[in-house]
């Protein structure tokens, strides 16, 4: 009679690896959420030094924008038409359609899941904290809903992050630092416009950005564990993207990127 496997053996069994991945992802989320938790606790308890900083920065920036109409129009255009969360959702949706066409189905699942988790988590936390938006004497812009965490800042991190990590293999290596600078600059720009327009406090955009980094880190870690389970080589996502085989130079039967019009069983049908 064979003895039953121990706890470690059961967790490492191939059929139970999904549960192990979810357990590790939950632990990573708890560790990564610590900075956000501290910030949220200070906001919820109305820690006066932090509230004073929030109020002073919001008031000063709003007054500066109000005194410079050209900047006001520029920031409104950026927040409504360039860095709006729906713009990122549309871009990711277009990318997902293209990736699906190429056969990168798991990458599509990762991208869609990251955006969905970010949206739902941000909306849920707004109802948990129910923080009012800045109440300024002469506001230059108005926005509905609760203030903490900033949904624009959250999507402003996750949206560019998803686009970058998915498409990085297709970007020439010499241009990748510029792609990173564009993604980071977009995230910072989103945060600045929301505070400068008086619709968020500094802690709102910082909380949203931290939450976005947590979402990207956890979903990317799960994707990397799938690669290991599939027997694919580990990658440095910040340098090669999540799926370097996307560029077509590293054929791999586990990914089976079949372009339309090719024969799946043909030796030339794989990317």
């Amino acid at each position: 009679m064979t003895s039953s496997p121990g706890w470690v053996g059961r967790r490492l069994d191939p059929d139970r690896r999904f549960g192990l991945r979810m357990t590790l992802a939950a632990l990573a989320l708890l560790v990564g959420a610590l900075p956000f938790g501290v910030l949220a606790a200070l906001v919820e308890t109305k820690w006066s030094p932090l509230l004073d900083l929030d109020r002073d920065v919001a008031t000063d920036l709003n007054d500066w924008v109000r005194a410079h109409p050209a900047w006001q129009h520029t920031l409104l255009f950026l927040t409504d038409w360039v860095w709006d969360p729906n713009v990122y959702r549309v871009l990711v949706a277009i990318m997902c359609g293209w990736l699906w066409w190429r056969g990168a189905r798991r990458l599509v699942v990762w991208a869609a899941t990251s955006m969905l988790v970010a949206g739902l988590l941000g909306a849920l936390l707004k109802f948990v904290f129910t923080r009012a938006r800045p109440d300024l004497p002469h506001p230059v812009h108005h926005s509905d809903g609760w203030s903490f965490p900033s949904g624009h800042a959250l999507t402003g991190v996750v949206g560019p992050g998803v686009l970058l990590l998915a498409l990085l293999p297709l970007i020439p290596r010499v241009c990748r630092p510029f792609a990173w600078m564009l993604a980071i600059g977009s995230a910072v720009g989103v945060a600045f416009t929301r505070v400068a327009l008086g619709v968020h406090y500094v802690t709102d955009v910082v909380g949203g950005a931290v939450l976005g980094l947590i979402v990207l880190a956890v979903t990317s870690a799960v994707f990397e564990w799938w690669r290991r389970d599939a027997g694919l080589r580990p990658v440095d996502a910040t340098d090669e993207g999540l799926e370097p085989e996307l560029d077509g130079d590293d054929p791999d039967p586990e990914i089976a990127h079949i372009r339309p019009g090719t024969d799946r069983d043909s030796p030339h049908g794989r990317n």
Side-chain angles (χ1 to χ4, degrees), residues 103-107 223 226-233 243 245 250-258 264 270-271:
R105 308 293 167 81
R106 292 183 187 268
L107 201 56
F223 191 89
W226 165 78
R227 286 183 60 86
R228 293 176 182 272
D229 281 354
L232 303 178
R233 65 180 176 85
E243 196 165 297
E245 294 82 5
D250 189 7
D252 197 304
E254 292 291 343
I255 290 185
H257 286 157
I258 309 300
R264 180 178 293 271
R270 300 187 189 277
N271 284 336

Side-chain angles (χ1 to χ4, degrees), residues 26-269:
L27 291 175
L29 180 61
L30 288 175
V31 173
L34 182 59
F36 178 83
V38 171
L39 181 63
L42 294 176
V43 169
E44 186 68 11
T45 57
K46 296 180 172 56
W47 190 49
S48 57
L50 192 63
L51 295 185
D52 291 341
L53 173 66
D54 269 347
R55 193 176 302 109
D56 291 344
V57 172
T59 302
D60 291 345
L61 273 180
N62 183 81
D63 290 344
W64 179 82
V65 171
R66 185 166 172 267
H68 298 80
W71 273 108
Q72 179 180 339
H73 295 311
T74 300
L75 294 176
L76 286 172
F77 173 78
L78 289 172
T79 197
D80 289 338
W81 296 101
V82 179
W83 290 327
D84 184 83
N86 287 327
V87 173
Y88 286 120
R89 293 176 185 126
V90 170
L91 290 176
V92 171
I94 293 172
M95 181 193 73
C96 285
W98 179 76
L99 290 174
W100 190 272
W101 176 80
R102 284 182 62 98
R105 308 293 167 81
R106 292 183 187 268
L107 201 56
V108 170
V109 172
W110 167 79
T113 300
S114 298
M115 296 297 291
L116 181 62
V117 168
L120 292 178
L121 193 58
L124 174 63
L125 290 175
K126 281 179 179 289
F127 280 102
V128 169
F129 293 104
T130 59
R131 186 188 197 187
R133 292 184 183 269
D135 183 15
L136 303 173
H138 306 287
V140 297
H141 191 48
H142 296 276
S143 189
D144 297 326
W146 302 110
S147 192
F148 182 87
S150 166
H152 276 71
L154 171 58
T155 311
V157 169
V158 176
V162 166
L163 293 168
L164 180 65
L165 292 177
L167 300 178
L168 199 60
L170 303 177
I171 301 174
R173 191 169 294 274
V174 68
C175 297
R176 290 178 186 178
F178 298 101
W180 275 102
M181 290 172 59
L182 178 62
I184 295 172
S186 296
V188 173
V190 170
F192 175 78
T193 58
R194 301 308 286 173
V195 178
L197 290 172
V199 294
H200 278 296
Y201 295 111
V202 172
T203 47
D204 297 335
V205 298
V206 171
V210 171
L211 195 61
L213 290 174
I214 294 171
V215 170
L216 281 178
V218 172
T219 58
S220 299
V222 173
F223 191 89
E224 174 62 19
W225 289 326
W226 165 78
R227 286 183 60 86
R228 293 176 182 272
D229 281 354
L232 303 178
R233 65 180 176 85
V235 299
D236 179 3
T238 61
D239 185 58
E240 301 176 85
L242 284 178
E243 196 165 297
E245 294 82 5
L246 188 65
D247 64 3
D249 294 332
D250 189 7
D252 197 304
E254 292 291 343
I255 290 185
H257 286 157
I258 309 300
R259 288 190 175 90
T262 62
D263 183 4
R264 180 178 293 271
D265 296 326
S266 168
H268 303 291

